[in-house]
Amino acid sequence: MRVAVVGAGISGLTATKCCLDEGLEPTCFEQSQDIGGLWRYTEHIEAGRPSLYPSVISNSSKEMSAFSDFPYPEDFPVFLPNAQLLDYLRRYAEHFNLRRHIRFGTTVVSIRKCPDFATTGQWDVVTEADGKRTSHVFDAIMVCSGNFSEPSLPLHCFPGIERFQGQYFHSRQYKHPDVFQGKRVLVVGMGNSGVDIAVEASHVAAKVTVSTGRGAWVLGRVFDHGYPWDMVLNTRLMSLIRNSLPCALSWGLINRRVNQWFKHENYGLQPEKSCLVREPVLNDDLPSYILTGRITIKPGVKEFKDNSVVFHNCPEEEPIDIVVFCTGYNVSFPFLEETIVKVENKHASLYKYVFPTHLQRPTLAILGLIKPLGGIMPVTEMQARWVTRVFKGRRANVSSAVYRNVAQTGHVLVPSVHQEGFLSLESPELRSSLPILKTDWLVYMDKLASFIGAKPSVLGLLCRDPQLALTIFFGPCTPYQYRLGGPGRWEGARQAILTQWDRTLKPTRTRVPASSSSLCPSLLTVVGLLLLLAALLFGF
C-alpha cells in the first residue's frame, strides 16, 4: 500500500516511521532541502515554509515531548532551544532510516481523488521538482504540512492602520530584536510568540506595550518545586480530578491554580471570561518585566492614528513607532480541493481532529492540526499510529456510529468539557476566538491509544508491576506509557518510564551537595495504593 506523506517536519517524520512499522510504503515529499519543518531555523523567510526566530525554545519538556520509542539524550536541556530539537529530529530520522523515503526539493502541487475513488480510495498526486511536474497514484495520503505558513493579518479589524506612518509587520517576519532599538513598540496579540517578542524587544526598545483584548493565563516553564510544568500538571491523577469534578468546581480549581504564581488581575492579564480555559502562555519573564515597567499591558486596539494608537476604554493616545501583529495563522491546504477539507472560521471539520468527515473512504488524514495542552510530538505520533492502522484495515474505530453520523451530516460532534477537557466550539463566538482545535492532552492520547489497543491499564499493572503502576498513575504521563503493550510495543518502555526523572534532572543537577535529596518527587507506597484504590471508585 503506497502512502504519500506531505512534509518532513515533526508530523511527516513520525508518519513515515509509522507507515514503515505497519508495512506500508511511504513516500515523503518535502519542498525544502532538509527535514525539520518549523524547527529548522533559516535567516531568510521562505515562501510556503514556517518561519521562527532563533531564540525559540520548546514549551513542553523533553520527557513529555519525546517520540514514544525514542527518548531524548539525558544531557539535553529540559526545555530545548530550536537547534537542539532539530538535532533530535535528525537523530530520529537517522535511527529509523527515514531519509531514504524522503524526496527533498519536491513540492506537492495538487491532490485529487482518482475517478474510481469510491471503490479504491486512491488519490492522484501531482508534484513538482526542478521545474518538472510528475503525476503519481497513491493508496492513501497523510497531510503533515503544518499550519504556520500562511499568516493571518486582519488589517480590516484595525481602523486607521492605513494612515499609520510607522512600521508594522506580522510576527512571521520577526527574526532579531535589533529592529526595535530605541523604538516604541506595540505587540498586538498575546500568544506565545507575542509574549516572546515583547520580552526580547524590551531589552533594546524605548517602550514595549502588549495589546490584548481577552487576556490570557500565564504559566512558567519552571513549576512547583522547580519541576517542569507539564510533568506536574499532565498526570493521570490530575486528569482524573479535572474530569471527575463538577464543571464549576473544576474551573474554580484551575483558576485558583493558575493564580498561585501571581494574581493575573493585578497585572492586567486576567482573561475576560475567566470560566473559559484558553491555551495558556508559557513564559517565565513576563510577570517580572511587567513589575519592572519594561512591558505594559493594554486592552484591545480601538484605532490607529498617524503616529499613535488608541486603546479601548483608554481615552489618551499612545505614541508608537513599530507594530508587531501576533495574530496567528490561517489553516490552509493549497494543494487540496476545498471540497476535501472544509475550513470555516479557521476551523476544519475533522473526525477526532484527523479524518475529513465526508469522504466515502478514510484514506486521507490531516496530522498535527490540534493544540493540546502538552507536547505536540507525541500527539502527532499517536495520530500517525492510529491512521496507519486505519489505512491497513486493522481495528481503529473509524467506522464507528459516531464517524458515520459525522460523515452523513457533515458536522463535527464536538465533545463536551468532561470528554475532552476544553469547552465546546459550538458557538460562533468561541469558534472564532479559538483558531485551532484544542483538547486535553492526556484524554485525547488515551482515546486514540484505545483505538489501537495501546492504552496502558493501570489496574492490570497494579497486580503485575506495582512500582510501574504507581509511577504511571501519579507521575507524569510520558509518551513511553503508550509503548508498554499493544501494536508497536517497545521493550525499553518500562525502563524509560522508571528513569524519566533521572533524564530530567541530569542536565540541571550539575552540583550535588553531600546531603542531597532524592532525584525525583517521592511517593509513599502505602498512601499511593490507598489513593489509587480510591481513584478506582471513580471508574477511570
Side-chain angles (χ1 to χ4, degrees):
M1 186 176 189
R2 301 181 66 232
V3 181
V5 179
V6 183
I10 287 173
S11 300
L13 291 175
T14 192
T16 303
K17 190 258 186 186
C18 290
C19 283
L20 296 173
D21 289 346
E22 289 295 332
L24 308 179
E25 298 179 17
T27 301
C28 181
F29 298 106
E30 169 56 44
Q31 66 177 352
S32 71
Q33 298 298 330
D34 202 355
I35 65 171
L38 172 66
W39 292 97
R40 182 168 62 83
Y41 171 78
T42 56
E43 183 64 29
H44 301 289
I45 299 172
E46 301 176 16
R49 281 200 68 246
S51 176
L52 79 164
Y53 36 98
S55 59
V56 167
I57 297 175
S58 65
N59 284 332
S60 54
S61 62
K62 65 178 183 180
E63 291 301 304
M64 298 296 287
S65 61
F67 290 123
S68 59
D69 56 357
F70 194 73
Y72 281 90
E74 64 175 10
D75 59 337
F76 272 38
V78 179
F79 292 95
L80 294 134
N82 63 83
Q84 283 186 287
L85 201 150
L86 178 60
D87 181 29
Y88 171 76
L89 295 178
R90 295 192 195 284
R91 295 180 186 217
Y92 181 78
E94 180 180 356
H95 181 78
F96 294 107
N97 197 19
L98 303 181
R99 282 184 176 271
R100 65 189 179 95
H101 300 280
I102 304 174
R103 296 188 185 180
F104 293 105
T106 304
T107 301
V108 174
V109 178
S110 68
I111 297 176
R112 300 287 185 268
K113 296 178 184 177
C114 287
D116 57 353
F117 177 82
T119 55
T120 66
Q122 290 183 326
W123 300 86
D124 180 62
V125 179
V126 177
T127 61
E128 183 174 332
D130 299 323
K132 179 182 178 182
R133 292 197 172 189
T134 307
S135 181
H136 322 257
V137 174
F138 285 95
D139 300 300
I141 307 291
M142 300 177 80
V143 178
C144 306
S145 53
N147 51 272
F148 296 102
S149 298
E150 185 180 307
S152 174
L153 190 55
L155 295 180
H156 63 278
C157 296
F158 301 95
I161 189 64
E162 68 281 351
R163 68 171 184 265
F164 177 62
Q165 297 180 6
Q167 180 184 1
Y168 65 85
F169 56 88
H170 190 273
S171 58
R172 183 173 185 267
Q173 297 177 264
Y174 173 74
K175 293 293 182 180
H176 303 284
D178 303 355
V179 66
F180 303 128
Q181 184 71 48
K183 305 290 187 179
R184 295 163 298 188
V185 180
L186 171 64
V187 176
V188 178
M190 199 173 164
N192 286 298
S193 295
V195 173
D196 283 352
I197 292 172
V199 167
E200 287 197 6
S202 69
H203 292 284
V204 297
K207 184 177 182 180
V208 176
T209 303
V210 175
S211 168
T212 173
R214 297 189 304 265
W217 298 122
V218 179
L219 298 179
R221 292 181 178 87
V222 182
F223 217 64
D224 294 350
H225 307 291
Y227 295 116
W229 72 273
D230 49 358
M231 296 185 77
V232 175
L233 291 181
N234 278 340
T235 69
R236 294 190 175 276
L237 175 62
M238 292 294 292
S239 179
L240 177 65
I241 293 173
R242 283 195 302 267
N243 293 286
S244 298
L245 293 175
C247 184
L249 180 57
S250 178
W251 292 142
L253 289 176
I254 292 174
N255 290 347
R256 183 175 182 275
R257 188 72 174 86
V258 296
N259 275 306
Q260 282 185 337
W261 183 21
F262 66 95
K263 191 173 182 180
H264 285 62
E265 184 179 357
N266 293 343
Y267 288 68
L269 297 171
Q270 179 84 9
E272 284 293 323
K273 298 178 180 179
S274 59
C275 62
L276 297 179
V277 175
R278 297 179 58 228
E279 180 193 11
V281 171
L282 270 294
N283 195 280
D284 297 281
D285 300 317
L286 182 61
S288 63
Y289 280 39
I290 294 174
L291 272 181
T292 55
R294 300 170 73 169
I295 294 176
T296 302
I297 306 297
K298 289 286 187 178
V301 172
K302 180 180 180 180
E303 181 186 10
F304 282 99
K305 300 293 183 70
D306 290 351
N307 297 290
S308 62
V309 63
V310 178
F311 300 103
H312 288 290
N313 304 319
C314 298
E316 67 275 7
E317 297 181 14
E318 184 94 18
I320 52 170
D321 302 304
I322 298 180
V323 182
V324 185
F325 287 101
C326 302
T327 45
Y329 291 82
N330 295 317
V331 177
S332 174
F333 306 102
F335 45 84
L336 291 176
E337 292 178 316
E338 291 184 5
T339 56
I340 296 176
V341 178
K342 299 176 182 178
V343 179
E344 297 178 2
N345 296 322
K346 302 183 182 181
H347 173 88
S349 295
L350 301 171
Y351 176 66
K352 294 301 177 186
Y353 315 134
V354 174
F355 287 101
T357 57
H358 57 283
L359 295 178
Q360 299 112 310
R361 300 180 67 86
T363 56
L364 183 142
I366 311 291
L367 271 61
L369 193 64
I370 187 173
K371 274 195 175 181
L373 186 58
I376 186 64
M377 292 166 69
V379 171
T380 57
E381 180 191 39
M382 185 60 73
Q383 289 178 332
R385 292 175 67 185
W386 174 43
V387 166
T388 51
R389 290 184 69 78
V390 171
F391 290 166
K392 199 70 179 289
R394 294 177 176 171
R395 182 171 72 90
N397 215 50
V398 80
S399 60
S400 69
V402 175
Y403 179 80
R404 287 196 301 269
N405 182 73
V406 171
Q408 292 168 3
T409 63
H411 299 295
V412 177
L413 299 183
V414 181
S416 69
V417 62
H418 282 288
Q419 292 172 311
E420 296 283 358
F422 277 86
L423 290 178
S424 166
L425 303 183
E426 295 287 347
S427 72
E429 178 187 4
L430 286 181
R431 190 178 301 159
S432 63
S433 68
L434 300 177
I436 300 173
L437 293 174
K438 300 174 176 66
T439 187
D440 185 298
W441 188 91
L442 199 155
V443 173
Y444 183 70
M445 289 283 285
D446 272 358
K447 175 61 71 174
L448 296 193
S450 69
F451 289 169
I452 65 172
K455 179 183 175 181
S457 170
V458 179
L459 185 59
L461 284 171
L462 189 60
C463 303
R464 303 191 309 270
D465 194 336
Q467 180 189 10
L468 182 61
L470 290 174
T471 303
I472 285 177
F473 185 73
F474 291 101
C477 185
T478 46
Y480 324 120
Q481 294 188 13
Y482 300 101
R483 292 285 182 177
L484 288 169
R489 183 176 180 272
W490 175 44
E491 291 294 335
R494 182 183 187 276
Q495 183 63 17
I497 293 169
L498 296 180
T499 57
Q500 58 199 9
W501 284 109
D502 296 336
R503 288 188 300 279
T504 299
L505 298 177
K506 171 74 173 180
T508 60
R509 258 183 176 253
T510 52
R511 174 187 170 272
V512 183
S515 58
S516 63
S517 60
S518 173
L519 287 178
C520 64
S522 61
L523 294 171
L524 297 176
T525 304
V526 176
V527 175
L529 285 170
L530 291 175
L531 287 174
L532 182 55
L533 290 173
L536 290 174
L537 297 177
F538 285 92
F540 84 101

